[in-house]
Amino acid sequence: MTVNTSSIAEPAGGAHAVAPPVVWMVGKVQSGKTSIIRELTGVADAEIGMGFVATTKSARVFDFPAEKPVIRFLDTRGLGEAKYDPATDLEACEAVSHLMLVVMKALDQEQSAVLDVVRAGRQRQPDWPILLAQTTLHDGYRPGADHSQPYPFGDTDAARLQGAGVSSDLVRSLARQRDLFDSVPGAKPIHFVQIDFTRAGDPYRPQDYGFAALVGALRDVAPLAVAASLKQTLAAANSVLAKRAHPQILAYASAAAASDLVPFAGVIAVPGIQAKMLHGLAATYGAPWDRRTLAQYAACLGAGTVVRLMSVFGIRELVKLIPWYGQTAGAAAAAAGSFATTFAIGKAATYFLGLRRHGEADPAGVQRVYAQSLAEAFAFAPKRSAHQAPEETTR
């Protein structure tokens, strides 16, 4: 059984296109490889499964984006499984890969099959960059515990990690796994990063714990071609999430407009609608809001914008009480204003959450997106009914 290396190395755009760099993901079954691809690309697990192209029964390639890939994930399956000798497949995968991303569960100490692959690769290519992701950290948490905040795993000192709330069992297991790879040859060190990517129904927050650390480690370790592609990948992933968030924002903005047609109803309803919208957007981006994150978002919007939102909202509600005018033009203006501000808050939040996913911030950009979205929504508002939505591109 051999890997079809030509299908991996062949450019998507034909003979004259440049082949995207390949990240070779090595690990046991259910070690967390698919979760990493999901977080890096913003694509759902089902879409990842459909997008993988099998090269053999043991190796698959996932192109992202599928139509014009900027990066390829090569997944060698079955390490450690009985009756499978991966030697031939692994040698072929090694020949077309730019970076090895090793994935292992933090409490799983039986990594001999993975260690054999890493050691063999480094014997042939001493300068090969290798990043080892230790996943599923919550398996080592104390009962009822959540992720330690702020993220403490940039430090490997056991005492400081335990002082930050990390259980002693998890600290010891992470250290033992690092020790396993001390014997791996090569001119460059193996880099480690600790992550825990969970699903919406799991009790751990945030769902993308350690994502910024993973991205930072990939940028530090990866060769230039992979690092450049990674930047494009993250931008494309944010575009995928923004498209997913767009209908939510329109629905909540329309609901806010409808509730604001009744005098003083908006005082109660609109803030609640906006809060639900932000909660839904956070779920889409896998990063629930907390006080710190909300404060950061408010700071990005700027104190002037927040005060202006509060004061203008109050004035709109008072205007609706003016006889005749308040029930017609005043109510319509209030509805248009609530639609526009809700829409702009949502669009600015998606921009903010997209940057936050990979450890970046752009307050000026958040303010720019808010202002542009507000103007866009207000321009459309006079032409729409309470249940119509603007046809516009996502950001």
Side-chain angles (χ1 to χ4, degrees), residues 222-298:
L224 186 60
V226 177
S229 293
L230 179 64
K231 185 175 182 179
Q232 292 179 274
T233 299
L234 293 172
N238 283 341
S239 177
V240 169
L241 294 172
K243 288 178 181 178
R244 197 173 297 162
H246 181 65
Q248 299 178 50
I249 296 171
L250 290 176
Y252 283 112
S254 297
S259 70
D260 225 346
L261 290 171
V262 180
F264 270 120
V267 173
I268 300 172
V270 174
I273 290 169
Q274 292 172 348
K276 288 183 178 180
M277 176 184 67
L278 291 176
H279 177 77
L281 294 176
T284 297
Y285 280 78
W289 298 96
D290 53 28
R291 288 185 179 181
R292 180 184 178 188
T293 309
L294 281 170
Q296 290 173 341
Y297 176 53

Side-chain angles (χ1 to χ4, degrees), residues 92-115:
C93 293
E94 172 192 317
V96 296
S97 302
H98 299 78
L99 167 73
M100 179 185 282
L101 178 55
V102 182
V103 187
M104 60 177 64
K105 288 187 175 182
L107 294 191
D108 185 357
Q109 296 298 320
E110 177 42 57
Q111 299 292 339
S112 56
V114 175
L115 185 57

Side-chain angles (χ1 to χ4, degrees), residues 104-109 134-137 139 170 173-174 177:
M104 60 177 64
K105 288 187 175 182
L107 294 191
D108 185 357
Q109 296 298 320
Q134 296 169 291
T135 69
T136 326
L137 304 176
D139 283 350
L170 179 57
S173 188
L174 293 172
Q177 285 187 340

Side-chain angles (χ1 to χ4, degrees), residues 118-138:
V118 176
R119 187 182 289 114
R122 269 293 184 83
Q123 285 173 343
R124 288 187 288 269
Q125 299 190 43
D127 292 328
W128 206 8
I130 297 175
L131 175 63
L132 198 152
Q134 296 169 291
T135 69
T136 326
L137 304 176
H138 64 263

Side-chain angles (χ1 to χ4, degrees), residues 36-375:
I36 290 175
I37 297 175
R38 181 188 72 224
E39 293 299 330
L40 288 175
T41 64
V43 177
D45 286 356
E47 296 172 276
I48 293 171
M50 293 172 59
F52 265 122
V53 177
T55 56
T56 70
K57 292 181 179 179
S58 58
R60 305 180 301 166
V61 175
F62 177 78
D63 283 349
F64 180 78
E67 61 279 2
K68 191 175 181 181
V70 297
I71 197 165
R72 281 178 168 162
F73 297 95
L74 172 59
D75 178 18
T76 306
R77 306 178 65 185
L79 291 184
E81 290 185 354
K83 299 181 180 179
Y84 171 54
D85 180 2
T88 303
D89 286 353
L90 297 178
E91 186 175 348
C93 293
E94 172 192 317
V96 296
S97 302
H98 299 78
L99 167 73
M100 179 185 282
L101 178 55
V102 182
V103 187
M104 60 177 64
K105 288 187 175 182
L107 294 191
D108 185 357
Q109 296 298 320
E110 177 42 57
Q111 299 292 339
S112 56
V114 175
L115 185 57
D116 288 344
V117 171
V118 176
R119 187 182 289 114
R122 269 293 184 83
Q123 285 173 343
R124 288 187 288 269
Q125 299 190 43
D127 292 328
W128 206 8
I130 297 175
L131 175 63
L132 198 152
Q134 296 169 291
T135 69
T136 326
L137 304 176
H138 64 263
D139 283 350
Y141 290 178
R142 301 180 185 92
D146 203 346
H147 301 314
S148 296
Q149 295 285 10
Y151 178 85
F153 294 101
D155 193 340
T156 59
D157 182 81
R160 285 193 288 270
L161 284 172
Q162 291 181 48
V166 183
S167 72
S168 57
D169 288 343
L170 179 57
V171 171
R172 284 193 297 269
S173 188
L174 293 172
R176 282 198 296 267
Q177 285 187 340
R178 289 193 296 269
D179 292 342
L180 289 175
F181 289 82
D182 282 346
S183 62
V184 172
K188 295 182 178 179
I190 293 178
H191 295 260
F192 293 80
V193 64
Q194 296 73 37
I195 59 176
D196 198 324
F197 298 159
T198 55
R199 307 311 299 264
D202 294 328
Y204 306 102
R205 296 292 181 273
Q207 294 168 215
D208 61 347
Y209 187 66
F211 181 82
L214 172 65
V215 172
L218 283 168
R219 286 172 173 164
D220 291 342
V221 173
L224 186 60
V226 177
S229 293
L230 179 64
K231 185 175 182 179
Q232 292 179 274
T233 299
L234 293 172
N238 283 341
S239 177
V240 169
L241 294 172
K243 288 178 181 178
R244 197 173 297 162
H246 181 65
Q248 299 178 50
I249 296 171
L250 290 176
Y252 283 112
S254 297
S259 70
D260 225 346
L261 290 171
V262 180
F264 270 120
V267 173
I268 300 172
V270 174
I273 290 169
Q274 292 172 348
K276 288 183 178 180
M277 176 184 67
L278 291 176
H279 177 77
L281 294 176
T284 297
Y285 280 78
W289 298 96
D290 53 28
R291 288 185 179 181
R292 180 184 178 188
T293 309
L294 281 170
Q296 290 173 341
Y297 176 53
C300 286
L301 285 175
T305 299
V306 174
V307 170
R308 199 157 51 245
L309 278 171
M310 295 173 65
S311 61
V312 171
F313 179 74
I315 291 170
R316 289 205 316 267
E317 293 304 318
L318 290 174
V319 167
K320 287 195 295 183
L321 295 180
I322 300 174
W324 187 82
Y325 177 84
Q327 305 305 312
T328 55
S338 288
F339 175 87
T341 53
T342 303
F343 182 80
I345 288 170
K347 286 295 184 180
T350 61
Y351 183 78
F352 170 83
L353 290 169
L355 290 175
R356 181 175 173 269
R357 289 183 71 246
H358 44 99
E360 296 180 1
D362 179 15
V366 172
Q367 293 175 25
R368 182 182 67 253
V369 171
Y370 176 83
Q372 290 174 347
S373 301
L374 189 69

